[in-house]
PDB file of all heavy atoms in Angstrom:
ATOM      1  N   TYR A1193      14.599-133.750 -28.193  1.00  0.00           N
ATOM      2  CA  TYR A1193      13.530-132.846 -28.644  1.00  0.00           C
ATOM      3  C   TYR A1193      12.605-132.469 -27.486  1.00  0.00           C
ATOM      4  O   TYR A1193      12.196-131.305 -27.362  1.00  0.00           O
ATOM      5  CB  TYR A1193      12.732-133.499 -29.769  1.00  0.00           C
ATOM      6  CG  TYR A1193      13.473-133.551 -31.079  1.00  0.00           C
ATOM      7  CD1 TYR A1193      14.078-134.723 -31.508  1.00  0.00           C
ATOM      8  CD2 TYR A1193      13.579-132.428 -31.879  1.00  0.00           C
ATOM      9  CE1 TYR A1193      14.775-134.768 -32.707  1.00  0.00           C
ATOM     10  CE2 TYR A1193      14.265-132.461 -33.080  1.00  0.00           C
ATOM     11  CZ  TYR A1193      14.858-133.642 -33.482  1.00  0.00           C
ATOM     12  OH  TYR A1193      15.553-133.673 -34.666  1.00  0.00           O
ATOM     13  N   LEU A1194      12.279-133.461 -26.646  1.00  0.00           N
ATOM     14  CA  LEU A1194      11.432-133.140 -25.495  1.00  0.00           C
ATOM     15  C   LEU A1194      12.112-132.119 -24.590  1.00  0.00           C
ATOM     16  O   LEU A1194      11.488-131.170 -24.109  1.00  0.00           O
ATOM     17  CB  LEU A1194      11.123-134.422 -24.715  1.00  0.00           C
ATOM     18  CG  LEU A1194      10.179-135.415 -25.402  1.00  0.00           C
ATOM     19  CD1 LEU A1194      10.052-136.677 -24.562  1.00  0.00           C
ATOM     20  CD2 LEU A1194       8.801-134.784 -25.608  1.00  0.00           C
ATOM     21  N   GLN A1195      13.414-132.313 -24.371  1.00  0.00           N
ATOM     22  CA  GLN A1195      14.162-131.373 -23.536  1.00  0.00           C
ATOM     23  C   GLN A1195      14.209-129.987 -24.167  1.00  0.00           C
ATOM     24  O   GLN A1195      14.135-128.969 -23.476  1.00  0.00           O
ATOM     25  CB  GLN A1195      15.578-131.910 -23.322  1.00  0.00           C
ATOM     26  CG  GLN A1195      16.388-131.123 -22.311  1.00  0.00           C
ATOM     27  CD  GLN A1195      17.776-131.719 -22.108  1.00  0.00           C
ATOM     28  OE1 GLN A1195      18.093-132.775 -22.645  1.00  0.00           O
ATOM     29  NE2 GLN A1195      18.593-131.039 -21.327  1.00  0.00           N
ATOM     30  N   THR A1196      14.313-129.966 -25.498  1.00  0.00           N
ATOM     31  CA  THR A1196      14.354-128.671 -26.185  1.00  0.00           C
ATOM     32  C   THR A1196      13.027-127.932 -26.062  1.00  0.00           C
ATOM     33  O   THR A1196      13.005-126.723 -25.810  1.00  0.00           O
ATOM     34  CB  THR A1196      14.684-128.885 -27.671  1.00  0.00           C
ATOM     35  OG1 THR A1196      15.906-129.612 -27.782  1.00  0.00           O
ATOM     36  CG2 THR A1196      14.825-127.560 -28.386  1.00  0.00           C
ATOM     37  N   TYR A1197      11.920-128.658 -26.224  1.00  0.00           N
ATOM     38  CA  TYR A1197      10.607-128.019 -26.062  1.00  0.00           C
ATOM     39  C   TYR A1197      10.435-127.493 -24.632  1.00  0.00           C
ATOM     40  O   TYR A1197       9.979-126.354 -24.424  1.00  0.00           O
ATOM     41  CB  TYR A1197       9.498-129.009 -26.383  1.00  0.00           C
ATOM     42  CG  TYR A1197       9.232-129.172 -27.855  1.00  0.00           C
ATOM     43  CD1 TYR A1197       9.440-130.384 -28.489  1.00  0.00           C
ATOM     44  CD2 TYR A1197       8.781-128.097 -28.618  1.00  0.00           C
ATOM     45  CE1 TYR A1197       9.203-130.538 -29.846  1.00  0.00           C
ATOM     46  CE2 TYR A1197       8.540-128.241 -29.967  1.00  0.00           C
ATOM     47  CZ  TYR A1197       8.755-129.458 -30.584  1.00  0.00           C
ATOM     48  OH  TYR A1197       8.520-129.592 -31.930  1.00  0.00           O
ATOM     49  N   LEU A1198      10.799-128.322 -23.646  1.00  0.00           N
ATOM     50  CA  LEU A1198      10.650-127.886 -22.254  1.00  0.00           C
ATOM     51  C   LEU A1198      11.552-126.698 -21.955  1.00  0.00           C
ATOM     52  O   LEU A1198      11.159-125.770 -21.236  1.00  0.00           O
ATOM     53  CB  LEU A1198      10.986-129.059 -21.314  1.00  0.00           C
ATOM     54  CG  LEU A1198       9.997-130.233 -21.336  1.00  0.00           C
ATOM     55  CD1 LEU A1198      10.490-131.360 -20.443  1.00  0.00           C
ATOM     56  CD2 LEU A1198       8.617-129.775 -20.890  1.00  0.00           C
ATOM     57  N   SER A1199      12.775-126.718 -22.514  1.00  0.00           N
ATOM     58  CA  SER A1199      13.692-125.591 -22.301  1.00  0.00           C
ATOM     59  C   SER A1199      13.141-124.309 -22.929  1.00  0.00           C
ATOM     60  O   SER A1199      13.234-123.224 -22.339  1.00  0.00           O
ATOM     61  CB  SER A1199      15.058-125.940 -22.899  1.00  0.00           C
ATOM     62  OG  SER A1199      15.944-124.863 -22.777  1.00  0.00           O
ATOM     63  N   SER A1200      12.560-124.426 -24.126  1.00  0.00           N
ATOM     64  CA  SER A1200      11.981-123.241 -24.776  1.00  0.00           C
ATOM     65  C   SER A1200      10.834-122.677 -23.950  1.00  0.00           C
ATOM     66  O   SER A1200      10.722-121.450 -23.781  1.00  0.00           O
ATOM     67  CB  SER A1200      11.485-123.611 -26.181  1.00  0.00           C
ATOM     68  OG  SER A1200      12.548-124.047 -26.987  1.00  0.00           O
ATOM     69  N   ILE A1201       9.970-123.574 -23.443  1.00  0.00           N
ATOM     70  CA  ILE A1201       8.856-123.112 -22.608  1.00  0.00           C
ATOM     71  C   ILE A1201       9.379-122.455 -21.338  1.00  0.00           C
ATOM     72  O   ILE A1201       8.861-121.417 -20.903  1.00  0.00           O
ATOM     73  CB  ILE A1201       7.937-124.302 -22.274  1.00  0.00           C
ATOM     74  CG1 ILE A1201       7.256-124.817 -23.544  1.00  0.00           C
ATOM     75  CG2 ILE A1201       6.879-123.905 -21.250  1.00  0.00           C
ATOM     76  CD1 ILE A1201       6.465-126.096 -23.344  1.00  0.00           C
ATOM     77  N   LYS A1202      10.437-123.031 -20.753  1.00  0.00           N
ATOM     78  CA  LYS A1202      11.003-122.461 -19.518  1.00  0.00           C
ATOM     79  C   LYS A1202      11.542-121.049 -19.762  1.00  0.00           C
ATOM     80  O   LYS A1202      11.211-120.116 -19.016  1.00  0.00           O
ATOM     81  CB  LYS A1202      12.136-123.360 -19.009  1.00  0.00           C
ATOM     82  CG  LYS A1202      12.771-122.863 -17.722  1.00  0.00           C
ATOM     83  CD  LYS A1202      14.015-123.661 -17.373  1.00  0.00           C
ATOM     84  CE  LYS A1202      15.169-123.274 -18.261  1.00  0.00           C
ATOM     85  NZ  LYS A1202      16.440-123.934 -17.865  1.00  0.00           N
ATOM     86  N   TYR A1203      12.347-120.886 -20.815  1.00  0.00           N
ATOM     87  CA  TYR A1203      12.919-119.563 -21.085  1.00  0.00           C
ATOM     88  C   TYR A1203      11.829-118.558 -21.449  1.00  0.00           C
ATOM     89  O   TYR A1203      11.903-117.378 -21.059  1.00  0.00           O
ATOM     90  CB  TYR A1203      13.957-119.650 -22.199  1.00  0.00           C
ATOM     91  CG  TYR A1203      15.276-120.231 -21.751  1.00  0.00           C
ATOM     92  CD1 TYR A1203      15.771-121.401 -22.311  1.00  0.00           C
ATOM     93  CD2 TYR A1203      16.035-119.626 -20.754  1.00  0.00           C
ATOM     94  CE1 TYR A1203      16.980-121.952 -21.896  1.00  0.00           C
ATOM     95  CE2 TYR A1203      17.232-120.156 -20.332  1.00  0.00           C
ATOM     96  CZ  TYR A1203      17.692-121.326 -20.910  1.00  0.00           C
ATOM     97  OH  TYR A1203      18.886-121.862 -20.485  1.00  0.00           O
ATOM     98  N   ALA A1204      10.818-118.998 -22.212  1.00  0.00           N
ATOM     99  CA  ALA A1204       9.728-118.086 -22.572  1.00  0.00           C
ATOM    100  C   ALA A1204       8.935-117.677 -21.330  1.00  0.00           C
ATOM    101  O   ALA A1204       8.554-116.506 -21.175  1.00  0.00           O
ATOM    102  CB  ALA A1204       8.808-118.758 -23.597  1.00  0.00           C
ATOM    103  N   ALA A1205       8.711-118.635 -20.406  1.00  0.00           N
ATOM    104  CA  ALA A1205       7.967-118.322 -19.178  1.00  0.00           C
ATOM    105  C   ALA A1205       8.773-117.393 -18.267  1.00  0.00           C
ATOM    106  O   ALA A1205       8.230-116.444 -17.687  1.00  0.00           O
ATOM    107  CB  ALA A1205       7.619-119.614 -18.438  1.00  0.00           C
ATOM    108  N   VAL A1206      10.092-117.670 -18.142  1.00  0.00           N
ATOM    109  CA  VAL A1206      10.944-116.800 -17.310  1.00  0.00           C
ATOM    110  C   VAL A1206      10.993-115.398 -17.893  1.00  0.00           C
ATOM    111  O   VAL A1206      10.899-114.395 -17.166  1.00  0.00           O
ATOM    112  CB  VAL A1206      12.364-117.403 -17.216  1.00  0.00           C
ATOM    113  CG1 VAL A1206      13.335-116.406 -16.598  1.00  0.00           C
ATOM    114  CG2 VAL A1206      12.343-118.680 -16.393  1.00  0.00           C
ATOM    115  N   ASN A1207      11.120-115.311 -19.213  1.00  0.00           N
ATOM    116  CA  ASN A1207      11.152-113.994 -19.854  1.00  0.00           C
ATOM    117  C   ASN A1207       9.837-113.247 -19.632  1.00  0.00           C
ATOM    118  O   ASN A1207       9.842-112.043 -19.340  1.00  0.00           O
ATOM    119  CB  ASN A1207      11.410-114.180 -21.351  1.00  0.00           C
ATOM    120  CG  ASN A1207      11.526-112.869 -22.078  1.00  0.00           C
ATOM    121  OD1 ASN A1207      12.118-111.917 -21.564  1.00  0.00           O
ATOM    122  ND2 ASN A1207      10.970-112.794 -23.266  1.00  0.00           N
ATOM    123  N   THR A1208       8.724-113.957 -19.734  1.00  0.00           N
ATOM    124  CA  THR A1208       7.422-113.318 -19.511  1.00  0.00           C
ATOM    125  C   THR A1208       7.295-112.822 -18.072  1.00  0.00           C
ATOM    126  O   THR A1208       6.822-111.704 -17.829  1.00  0.00           O
ATOM    127  CB  THR A1208       6.298-114.321 -19.821  1.00  0.00           C
ATOM    128  OG1 THR A1208       6.454-114.813 -21.150  1.00  0.00           O
ATOM    129  CG2 THR A1208       4.934-113.668 -19.698  1.00  0.00           C
ATOM    130  N   ALA A1209       7.731-113.662 -17.104  1.00  0.00           N
ATOM    131  CA  ALA A1209       7.632-113.258 -15.694  1.00  0.00           C
ATOM    132  C   ALA A1209       8.515-112.048 -15.406  1.00  0.00           C
ATOM    133  O   ALA A1209       8.101-111.112 -14.691  1.00  0.00           O
ATOM    134  CB  ALA A1209       8.025-114.436 -14.800  1.00  0.00           C
ATOM    135  N   LEU A1210       9.743-112.040 -15.945  1.00  0.00           N
ATOM    136  CA  LEU A1210      10.643-110.907 -15.711  1.00  0.00           C
ATOM    137  C   LEU A1210      10.101-109.629 -16.360  1.00  0.00           C
ATOM    138  O   LEU A1210      10.160-108.542 -15.759  1.00  0.00           O
ATOM    139  CB  LEU A1210      12.037-111.232 -16.262  1.00  0.00           C
ATOM    140  CG  LEU A1210      12.824-112.301 -15.501  1.00  0.00           C
ATOM    141  CD1 LEU A1210      14.132-112.628 -16.233  1.00  0.00           C
ATOM    142  CD2 LEU A1210      13.126-111.838 -14.078  1.00  0.00           C
ATOM    143  N   CYS A1211       9.585-109.752 -17.580  1.00  0.00           N
ATOM    144  CA  CYS A1211       9.027-108.575 -18.255  1.00  0.00           C
ATOM    145  C   CYS A1211       7.826-108.032 -17.489  1.00  0.00           C
ATOM    146  O   CYS A1211       7.647-106.807 -17.380  1.00  0.00           O
ATOM    147  CB  CYS A1211       8.618-108.933 -19.687  1.00  0.00           C
ATOM    148  SG  CYS A1211      10.004-109.151 -20.825  1.00  0.00           S
ATOM    149  N   LEU A1212       7.011-108.941 -16.925  1.00  0.00           N
ATOM    150  CA  LEU A1212       5.854-108.486 -16.148  1.00  0.00           C
ATOM    151  C   LEU A1212       6.299-107.796 -14.862  1.00  0.00           C
ATOM    152  O   LEU A1212       5.752-106.746 -14.489  1.00  0.00           O
ATOM    153  CB  LEU A1212       4.961-109.686 -15.823  1.00  0.00           C
ATOM    154  CG  LEU A1212       3.698-109.390 -14.996  1.00  0.00           C
ATOM    155  CD1 LEU A1212       2.791-108.418 -15.733  1.00  0.00           C
ATOM    156  CD2 LEU A1212       2.948-110.683 -14.687  1.00  0.00           C
TER     157      LEU A1212
END
Side-chain angles (χ1 to χ4, degrees):
Y1193 287 101
L1194 290 176
Q1195 188 179 354
T1196 304
Y1197 279 116
L1198 292 176
S1199 177
S1200 298
I1201 294 173
K1202 181 189 75 174
Y1203 283 119
V1206 169
N1207 183 40
T1208 304
L1210 290 174
C1211 286
L1212 179 61

